[in-house]
Amino acid sequence: MGFLRSREVDLFKLLIFVILVCSGTLTFNTILADEAQEAATKEGILSLIEKLKKMEIDTLKVARLENFSFKKDRVEWKFESGYICLTKPIPEIPRAGGAFFIGQGRMIFEPPGKIEKEEIKNYTDKETFNEPFKELFIRFNDDTRQIFEPLMKDASSDEGKKAAEKFKNRQQALYDLLFNLEFPAIEDYYSEVPRNAYLFAETEVEKLGLIGFVYSPAGVLEGAEEIMLIKRKKLGFGATTFENIITAFNKKEDYEKGIDLDREDINLYNVTHYDMDFTIEPGNLIFNAKVSMRFTPLVDKLSVIQIPLGADFDPDRHDKQIQINKITDETGKDLPFIYKNFTVLIQLPGTLNKNDVAVLNFDYKGDFLRPDPPVSPPPGYRLDPSLEFLPEGESTFRLLNTYPWFPQYGYLKRYSFDMTIRVPKPFIAIASGTTLKRWTEGPYNCLHTKEDKPVALASVLFGKYITIKDDSKRPVIYVHSLFKQQKQAQGILEESRIIVTEYEKYLGSFPYDELDIAQMGFGYGFGQAPPGLVQLTGEAFLGDNELEAIPWRIGGKPGFRAGFLSHEIGHEWWGHVVSWKNYHEQWLSESFTEYMAGLYLEASKGTKEFEYKLNNWKEMSYMRKNIGPIWLGYRDQNGAMISLYFKGPYVLHMLRMALCKVYGPEEGNRLFFESLKRFCEQFRDQNTVTKDYQQILRETTKANWDWFFDQWFREAGFPELKYSYISRQTEDGKYLVEVKIKQTDKEHLKRMLIPIFFHFPGNELGRKDVLMEQTEEAVFRFKYSKNPENVTIDDAKELLAAASWGE
């Protein structure tokens, strides 16, 4: 999904949305209710916004620079020659400002760690970034003005005007991109919490084109790293968009202090509970929301907060705008706020300290709900006119799902909730949580659902559903299908119970009292698994003959449903029982649940189904051998899907096979599944990191397997092994076989347990498992009474490596 989505989607676009939302940097038209606008004007918030938006270069002052060095953390801009102009100061916000440099300069830095150095090398062919530039646009809210202001002298009119025009154009390009640097400056002005000393710089370099540099102590990338270098793309007419993330890393002092960056949490507050009441109006589908949010500060002296609120991550959809009527405190007092698309800046009624409990009440509405369109074939395909299921797409609607359709703060933070939703008849709502009551109320079908256990990503969808259930045991399982697909519902219900029962043997009890499985519209091509709710693209509810008639939608064999369903149900453990702490750790959700889905297929459909999965994982992994490590997550725009859905599960298979080699098949399997179960038990309802699982595995096996995760999770590379052998008869009449193995990728040498197979006359087979250290070449010697006819490597496909004969 954006987070638990299982198939193709524009995930990089979602990633950028999360980056901007989490850093409060999305902007569009300000929407304020009359009362709140009056309060905001009185407090000066709107005034500050306008002054920041009107920021302009002081054309009468210039600083001439020769071999002048300007640094931010480990990044240096060396101004070799030229001049820089500053914006006019804003007295109310003295740290906020901007600048523009014209001349000759270089941007220089060396990122920390092997991963980021390799990412830089992918773009520049060098591990150190050292690129020339001729212009530099800067926005800041730190001490940058203090550095340049003492150097300012009188400027010629031409110099100042030229810098001013270029600054204005770049500033406008940022606004067109919906990139805003106003909220952090205002939050910094009103708050005593020192965390918004940001710097944004943009320039063009020859090798990469337009790039943007972001430094934000509040965190840039999904609440994680504070520093990021972005590759931008020009669209013409001055407009730009994001293209890729070149590198991202933490502040230098974080590394020097030895902070555990995997577990770092720089959020200002935790949301602990929601009371939510939603009504979707008949006819116009206007979404009316009343949300009460309880939260607790994680820092002292908190007086202003930002929180994401947006109906969709596509900023081009103007019809998805939300209008906030008012925001009040626990007493009902109106609070000053500013809403700029997807983000709300709220001035609290007073100053809060750690462990205080506060409540905010949101009253808003939106016109963003649209029916799912019927399926239509792409060019070149003909559609069988007898397929009457297609119009059913009009009976489901866009999802109220994993974007912040209600105010949500922090990366996958958990909360309890109590939710009531009214949808127009004849539709019914399906939602996360345990169903407490269903009833009718005038033109509405109503649902009251609740979850006392802290969860993330509570979601809703609605449609013209037919519902069946299995309440024979916990959890109660419901399947909600459209009218023309209800014939598939019983089979889905029965298989869902089998999957839950199978997973409970390995992973512990199902986390919720209820599991709802609902049909989405057609053409989504993926599934999603919010807590207690599995949502499947409409094609999953079609029969095999119908699937064969629309092959462009599935891209696989008709029997895909078992793997698809078991993957999504698996997310209730891998994604909710244990979740991932930051974007680096998403394989704990996608890769782990995909491997469990493979094991379910083996148990229920036979070994051939699992072998098909293994072959598919390996083949897909090798499609793009230059992808980064799994650790990069969705930052790796070109390789994330492969890493998470194909390489990741194969890596887990290698781990299981390695345990079987070391401890024997029976004990190795027992240790592997015991480690998974203990992981779920010990970190139940928590957001975790891979190091947590490594510790569990260490305790379970009484051995240190950190090397395995360092090279397969945190390192890039797909080994290619070249092997050869010679055999000679010895004095005792036996045969000495020497097997030589080489690793061709010298930059990513792996330590591997390699299975070597000896093929003797009469179909007799011998096997030896050898440990190859992180070395380019190794020779292994074996003695047999017979001379092998052939020697091969990895016949059982236990390695994510390509093995071929050769010196």
Side-chain angles (χ1 to χ4, degrees), residues 633-691:
Y634 281 120
R635 253 185 61 195
D636 187 357
Q637 183 182 2
N638 296 319
M641 296 295 290
I642 288 175
S643 287
L644 297 176
Y645 292 94
F646 303 104
K647 181 181 178 181
Y650 204 102
V651 166
L652 289 173
H653 182 66
M654 284 198 299
L655 175 63
R656 179 178 160 224
M657 291 299 99
L659 293 175
C660 289
K661 292 172 190 175
V662 173
Y663 302 102
E666 184 176 346
E667 180 66 4
N669 273 310
R670 186 191 70 78
L671 291 171
F672 177 76
F673 290 111
E674 182 182 335
S675 72
L676 295 183
K677 193 168 187 177
R678 289 182 62 185
F679 186 39
C680 288
E681 289 172 349
Q682 187 166 329
F683 293 94
R684 198 170 186 89
D685 301 323
Q686 296 181 48
N687 294 1
T688 61
V689 298
T690 301
K691 287 179 181 177

Side-chain angles (χ1 to χ4, degrees), residues 65-70 76-80 147-148 151:
L65 306 175
E66 297 290 334
N67 294 320
F68 184 86
S69 181
F70 171 58
E76 176 184 8
W77 290 270
K78 184 174 286 187
F79 301 112
E80 296 167 346
I147 294 171
F148 290 104
L151 307 176

Side-chain angles (χ1 to χ4, degrees), residues 147-168:
I147 294 171
F148 290 104
E149 202 160 44
L151 307 176
M152 290 293 158
K153 307 293 182 183
D154 291 340
S156 70
S157 59
D158 289 342
E159 287 177 327
K161 288 179 180 178
K162 185 176 181 180
E165 185 64 25
K166 288 180 176 290
F167 180 88
K168 181 180 178 181

Side-chain angles (χ1 to χ4, degrees), residues 374-445:
V375 173
S376 57
Y381 281 93
R382 292 187 62 192
L383 189 64
D384 187 337
S386 67
L387 297 177
E388 298 178 355
F389 63 85
L390 297 178
E392 285 297 328
E394 297 176 356
S395 292
T396 59
F397 296 83
R398 296 296 180 187
L399 310 177
L400 296 167
N401 220 287
T402 50
Y403 50 79
W405 57 283
F406 59 91
Q408 298 178 48
Y409 177 75
Y411 186 73
L412 294 182
K413 291 294 187 177
R414 295 171 179 254
Y415 47 79
S416 57
F417 67 86
D418 190 315
M419 175 166 54
T420 298
I421 182 165
R422 301 169 186 82
V423 298
K425 296 176 180 177
F427 307 121
I428 65 169
I430 315 299
S432 296
T434 299
T435 299
L436 300 181
K437 181 181 177 183
R438 286 190 180 275
W439 73 100
T440 61
E441 189 178 291
Y444 300 105
N445 283 324

Side-chain angles (χ1 to χ4, degrees), residues 28 66 391 408 446 502 589 613 691 747 766:
F28 198 63
E66 297 290 334
Q408 298 178 48
C446 309
E502 185 74 12
S589 172
K613 272 280 192 186
K691 287 179 181 177
E747 293 186 2

Side-chain angles (χ1 to χ4, degrees), residues 41 187 257 260 315 350 481 597 615 662 676 701 750:
T41 303
E187 185 178 10
K257 292 179 179 179
D260 187 349
S481 62
N615 288 330
V662 173
L676 295 183
T701 63
K750 306 294 187 190

Side-chain angles (χ1 to χ4, degrees), residues 11-122:
L11 291 160
F12 181 66
K13 191 171 187 181
L14 175 59
L15 174 63
I16 292 299
F17 165 74
V18 175
I19 293 169
L20 299 182
V21 161
C22 290
S23 57
T25 52
L26 284 172
T27 179
F28 198 63
N29 296 323
T30 302
I31 304 175
L32 289 169
D34 292 341
E35 298 87 349
Q37 183 169 2
E38 182 179 347
T41 303
K42 182 178 179 181
E43 297 293 334
I45 295 177
L46 282 180
S47 174
L48 295 180
I49 281 282
E50 290 304 312
K51 289 179 179 180
L52 287 166
K53 289 176 65 175
K54 293 176 181 178
M55 184 182 296
E56 60 182 2
I57 290 289
D58 184 349
T59 59
L60 302 179
K61 297 289 183 181
V62 65
R64 305 189 189 285
L65 306 175
E66 297 290 334
N67 294 320
F68 184 86
S69 181
F70 171 58
K71 295 183 179 180
K72 193 69 180 181
D73 200 75
R74 65 178 71 237
V75 180
E76 176 184 8
W77 290 270
K78 184 174 286 187
F79 301 112
E80 296 167 346
S81 63
Y83 68 92
I84 192 168
C85 294
L86 290 172
T87 57
K88 296 175 182 177
I90 302 173
E92 295 89 342
I93 317 177
R95 297 205 308 174
F100 202 90
F101 169 80
I102 298 174
Q104 299 290 332
R106 300 191 77 85
M107 184 178 178
I108 305 167
F109 68 92
E110 182 176 341
K114 183 178 179 180
I115 294 176
E116 299 305 340
K117 288 178 181 178
E118 289 190 344
E119 287 300 291
I120 287 290
K121 190 175 181 179
N122 287 337

